Amino acid sequence: MAKKNIDWGSIGFSYIPTDKRYVANFKDGKWEGGLTSDPNVVINECAGVLQYSQSCFEGLKAYTTEDGRTVCFRPDLNAARMKSSCERLKMPVFPEDKFVEAVKEVVKANIDYVPPYGSGATLYIRPYMFGSNPVIGVKPADEYQFRIFVTPVGPYFKGGAKPITIRVTDLDRAAPRGTGHIKAGLNYAMSLYNIVDAHENGFDENLYVDPATRTKVEETGGANCIFVDKNGTVVVPKSPSILPSITRRSLVTVAKDYLGLNVEEREVYLSELSDFAEMGLCGTAAVISPIGKVYDHGKEICFPSGMDEMGPTIKKLYDTLTGIQMGRIEAPEGWIVEIK
């Protein structure tokens, strides 16, 4: 089979429909489903997801490696994180082993949409689940639908790996002891007003701080933060309301085991930002986006790494992790799952 006739180098981070998707329905205590060509979701007007936003999702990617294989990156961790989301939202867990198999199945069914090696594009994989039966009282749904679609995407930020500018926001991303640590759809709905406002005011993203004291860095609307201090130590913010990013956890391993760097996972105070040499945002969509500048209520915090290119340590982290994902560097056991 030949790759689809797509200008891979020109696509953005947006939806392009593909041939197949995976759909499973939960009813009477069991899951049943498989591949379908129908991209449409048909649900009742009173479905639980429409009334009370009972939904969660995941995001991961498939790649073409340097030697021509098609692989996914750590799908078992996405399965485990979706399990946590489902448990917090009182939704049935889609079995973790079946999750991984469904990911492999839908990527294989759309193999011609996996961008070629070196194109800068990847195949984004979106598993998600929602309450599907009518629910009018405030309670969990009884029936659910689990789906996975895939779409080829380009870079998340238009400038690719160019440093971006973010602002410290006055709004909150998640409440203390709330749902910030899971990938619930409602968390992202709360951020939409703020991200549009940021873009309208010339910023690429919002930097959220802890709602209780407003002194500690949490994350942005769509990614975890990572810092490098002036001694070369990688510093990762720690908070119970930060989403446990799979990319962030992988970067910590890369920093320690591949680059021999010191890593601190701790609370990071807003007042510390001017002391850091580098800052980046990390997540599945962007891998790492370098931050050149943080705007804090009239005060500009400019990192020594500048606005022209990635700082040296973040670049090493980026190059090593993408090298692992693309097959140029040997991966830790279990990180790479080949689609056959």
Side-chain angles (χ1 to χ4, degrees):
M1 298 290 286
K3 294 293 184 186
K4 296 292 183 178
N5 185 22
I6 295 173
D7 184 359
W8 303 107
S10 299
I11 61 175
F13 200 89
S14 58
Y15 173 71
I16 297 173
T18 57
D19 295 338
K20 298 288 185 179
R21 60 277 307 140
Y22 184 93
V23 181
N25 291 293
F26 180 85
K27 186 175 182 179
D28 298 329
K30 60 183 179 180
W31 288 100
E32 291 186 1
L35 292 174
T36 178
S37 58
D38 187 358
N40 297 304
V41 178
V42 179
I43 51 178
N44 187 276
E45 63 185 350
C46 194
V49 64
L50 301 179
Q51 305 309 314
Y52 304 117
S53 299
Q54 197 183 15
S55 69
C56 61
F57 69 98
E58 277 298 322
L60 64 157
K61 288 180 176 179
Y63 313 82
T64 301
T65 62
E66 189 173 33
D67 60 4
R69 295 175 299 139
T70 299
V71 303
C72 289
F73 183 69
R74 308 191 78 178
D76 57 316
L77 294 190
N78 292 95
R81 191 169 64 181
M82 178 167 262
K83 177 178 182 289
S84 296
S85 296
C86 289
E87 289 172 344
R88 177 64 177 80
L89 296 172
K90 297 302 292 182
M91 302 167 74
V93 173
F94 193 75
E96 294 178 62
D97 57 340
K98 290 185 178 181
F99 179 105
V100 174
E101 288 305 312
V103 166
K104 293 162 67 175
E105 193 174 346
V106 77
V107 172
K108 185 176 181 180
N110 294 286
I111 201 77
D112 297 338
Y113 287 94
V114 181
Y117 175 79
S119 65
T122 54
L123 187 74
Y124 190 79
I125 306 164
R126 171 54 58 86
Y128 60 109
M129 190 192 300
F130 55 87
S132 55
N133 70 293
V135 179
I136 196 63
V138 181
K139 62 180 181 178
D142 297 314
E143 299 174 12
Y144 295 83
Q145 191 166 104
F146 170 81
R147 301 178 68 100
I148 305 176
F149 70 83
V150 298
T151 182
V153 296
Y156 186 72
F157 290 104
K158 292 181 181 179
K162 282 286 187 181
I164 60 176
T165 301
I166 65 176
R167 69 173 182 185
V168 177
T169 177
D170 290 323
L171 300 183
D172 295 328
R173 174 187 159 269
R177 297 174 295 281
T179 58
H181 63 294
I182 64 169
K183 208 164 177 65
L186 58 92
N187 292 348
Y188 295 81
M190 289 173 61
S191 74
L192 296 179
Y193 170 88
N194 213 19
I195 192 61
V196 171
D197 185 69
H199 290 165
E200 289 176 348
N201 284 280
F203 303 101
D204 295 290
E205 251 289 9
N206 293 293
L207 179 62
Y208 291 93
V209 296
D210 73 296
T213 70
R214 304 206 59 78
T215 61
K216 291 174 279 193
V217 172
E218 295 246 306
E219 60 174 289
T220 64
N224 281 189
C225 298
I226 190 168
F227 299 92
V228 181
D229 71 16
K230 292 175 182 176
N231 295 317
T233 296
V234 175
V235 180
V236 180
K238 187 176 182 179
S239 163
S241 58
I242 291 176
L243 183 74
S245 163
I246 292 162
T247 303
R248 185 202 76 213
R249 285 180 276 170
S250 302
L251 286 169
V252 167
T253 299
V254 165
K256 291 177 179 178
D257 298 347
Y258 283 73
L259 302 178
L261 300 173
N262 292 324
V263 177
E264 294 180 0
E265 296 186 68
R266 61 172 176 81
E267 292 182 336
V268 174
Y269 287 84
L270 196 58
S271 59
E272 292 183 74
L273 260 58
S274 58
D275 296 330
F276 290 115
E278 303 173 45
M279 178 182 179
L281 303 182
C282 55
T284 297
V287 185
I288 308 180
S289 289
I291 306 301
K293 187 186 299 183
V294 176
Y295 185 84
D296 182 10
H297 300 86
K299 175 185 175 184
E300 285 189 349
I301 302 166
C302 300
F303 296 100
S305 50
M307 292 297 296
D308 295 324
E309 57 187 22
M310 282 187 172
T313 301
I314 282 181
K315 187 173 189 336
K316 288 178 184 176
L317 289 167
Y318 176 87
D319 288 346
T320 306
L321 184 57
T322 54
I324 290 169
Q325 292 171 334
M326 296 296 178
R328 297 188 297 269
I329 298 172
E330 186 175 355
E333 185 176 356
W335 279 28
I336 301 298
V337 174
E338 186 172 356
I339 309 300
K340 297 179 180 180

